[in-house]
Amino acid sequence: NCDDALVSPLPSTALTSSSELFGTHSPSFAKLNRRDGAGGWSPLDSNEQQWLQVDLGDRVEIVAVATQGRYGSSDWVTSYTLMFSDTGRNWKQYRQDDTIWVFTGNSNADSVVHHKFLHSMKARFLRFIPLKWNVGGRIGLRVEVFGCSYKSDIADFDGRSSLLYRFNQKLMSTFKDVVSLKFKSMQGDGVLFHGEGQRGDYITLELQKGKLSLHISLGDSNLHFSNSHTSVTLGSLLDDQHWHSVLIERFNKQVNFTVDKHTQHFRTKGDSDHLDIDYELSFGGIPVPGKPGTFQRKNFHGCIENLYYNGVNIIDLAKR
């Protein structure tokens, strides 16, 4: 039931724009089905540099949008794109199938055109970017956004801390591992998680120059490091302060590594089919044993959300 109208209860100050034609055409009049002012928003100039922005007050899940033209006028938008942001500064365009999605707008001033997203988005700020409008009029817009509040478990890392998940027993030996999380960062380098064992087994996920690298070894009885090490890199420019999703699925030597919607399938090297990790996994950095506050390699600086290891909610566990 994530289909609440999110714009209508907002204060008028939550709607802003690139410009306005007159005070009566301000973004504060751009709520769906409203008729006050001049009946909607119109910018000073009708061109593709204009935008109407909604501050939803908090990060929410957005599942659909709806538009109208300016009430009783010849001003309406026939196509538009959407941009979203958590901060109101760094913007990302809404895409479907890796393509910037163009929404069909209105054919008159007052009919409502509703679009349900193929994939919901999580954001606090949303921008409507008019691309085309009625040839006999101007840009004119009233909008609504549909969705619901979004609750998530988030851990903030400042580049000097880490989160430890300790096992019930000293050695954790697994044939299957599943790690899922979302992260955002403005730093191009940093360890997101790491675990290692005495036989040379280890697994490390880290940002390196804005790309995400997964390093894994299932051990080597001869301790020849080069013979057991496997590294795979995915993505680029992931230090853009936007959320990116990660899923790592390992069964024996077969690994599926997914970043956003891109998956790399590969087989690991090593002598065995199981991963032997001693005592703990660390998230956000690799602490040096016996030296509190000291870390190997660069720590992660950013946020991690909805972090799960083999079905365990790590962040929720840490909060208890």
Side-chain angles (χ1 to χ4, degrees):
N1 297 322
C2 187
D3 57 1
D4 298 333
L6 302 178
V7 175
S8 57
L10 293 174
S12 58
T13 53
L15 289 91
T16 55
S17 64
S18 51
S19 66
E20 58 189 57
L21 183 60
F22 301 109
T24 53
H25 297 68
S26 80
S28 61
F29 301 120
K31 295 182 180 182
L32 204 73
N33 295 319
R34 293 282 289 273
R35 300 182 180 184
D36 43 351
W41 167 68
S42 286
L44 180 61
D45 298 305
S46 289
N47 56 44
E48 293 184 10
Q49 281 70 55
Q50 307 300 325
W51 46 263
L52 174 67
Q53 177 176 309
V54 181
D55 179 357
L56 296 162
D58 204 351
R59 194 161 180 248
V60 297
E61 183 168 4
I62 303 169
V63 300
V65 293
T67 61
Q68 288 173 300
R70 194 167 60 78
Y71 173 70
S73 74
S74 57
D75 302 340
W76 58 83
V77 171
T78 57
S79 67
Y80 61 94
T81 59
L82 289 174
M83 300 186 77
F84 59 98
S85 170
D86 286 330
T87 63
R89 295 183 300 274
N90 296 43
W91 293 89
K92 198 169 187 177
Q93 292 192 291
Y94 177 76
R95 293 172 177 263
Q96 283 186 196
D97 301 322
D98 290 330
T99 301
I100 296 172
W101 196 253
V102 176
F103 293 84
T104 302
N106 300 89
S107 56
N108 57 50
D110 297 307
S111 297
V112 176
V113 176
H114 186 279
H115 288 285
K116 187 173 179 63
F117 297 160
L118 185 61
H119 306 287
S120 67
M121 70 171 82
K122 285 84 176 177
R124 173 177 171 175
F125 296 90
L126 193 63
R127 274 188 182 180
F128 293 79
I129 316 289
L131 296 181
K132 296 181 180 179
W133 44 92
N134 180 29
V135 293
R138 309 176 61 91
I139 291 174
L141 203 54
R142 288 176 285 171
V143 302
E144 184 56 270
V145 177
F146 299 92
C148 56
S149 60
Y150 178 66
K151 302 299 181 185
S152 62
D153 291 301
I154 297 179
D156 295 309
F157 295 88
D158 60 6
R160 299 186 299 274
S161 60
S162 66
L163 188 63
L164 298 180
Y165 172 54
R166 288 180 173 159
F167 310 131
N168 292 328
Q169 63 267 32
K170 187 178 188 309
L171 174 68
M172 178 68 74
S173 183
T174 59
F175 287 91
K176 179 180 179 181
D177 290 293
V178 179
V179 181
S180 64
L181 60 94
K182 287 188 174 183
F183 76 91
K184 67 176 179 178
S185 176
M186 290 189 70
Q187 303 290 329
D189 298 276
V191 173
L192 276 81
F193 78 84
H194 172 80
E196 63 183 71
Q198 294 180 8
R199 290 184 63 254
D201 296 47
Y202 65 85
I203 182 169
T204 306
L205 180 71
E206 66 177 321
L207 274 171
Q208 295 180 309
K209 297 181 179 179
K211 299 180 180 181
L212 204 56
S213 296
L214 175 63
H215 313 294
I216 187 168
S217 171
L218 298 185
D220 186 342
S221 58
N222 296 316
L223 297 180
H224 294 156
F225 180 82
S226 60
N227 292 337
S228 62
H229 176 80
T230 306
S231 291
V232 173
T233 300
L234 270 180
S236 62
L237 303 176
L238 300 176
D239 51 344
D240 59 357
Q241 194 61 14
H242 289 291
W243 288 101
H244 298 282
S245 60
V246 180
L247 177 63
I248 300 167
E249 301 167 295
R250 182 191 68 85
F251 182 71
N252 297 338
K253 286 187 171 66
Q254 184 63 42
V255 181
N256 300 327
F257 178 31
T258 302
V259 178
D260 295 329
K261 296 177 183 177
H262 304 283
T263 302
Q264 184 97 15
H265 307 278
F266 66 95
R267 285 183 63 82
T268 64
K269 300 175 184 178
D271 287 343
S272 69
D273 288 336
H274 50 84
L275 178 67
D276 293 334
I277 298 296
D278 288 338
Y279 194 49
E280 66 188 16
L281 285 172
S282 62
F283 297 89
I286 309 176
V288 176
K291 296 182 179 180
T294 305
F295 296 89
Q296 308 171 33
R297 314 229 290 261
K298 187 169 182 179
N299 269 30
F300 178 69
H301 194 292
C303 301
I304 296 180
E305 175 186 71
N306 294 345
L307 169 58
Y308 286 85
Y309 169 68
N310 288 348
V312 177
N313 186 330
I314 301 296
I315 298 174
D316 181 58
L317 197 66
K319 288 179 178 177
R320 292 179 192 175

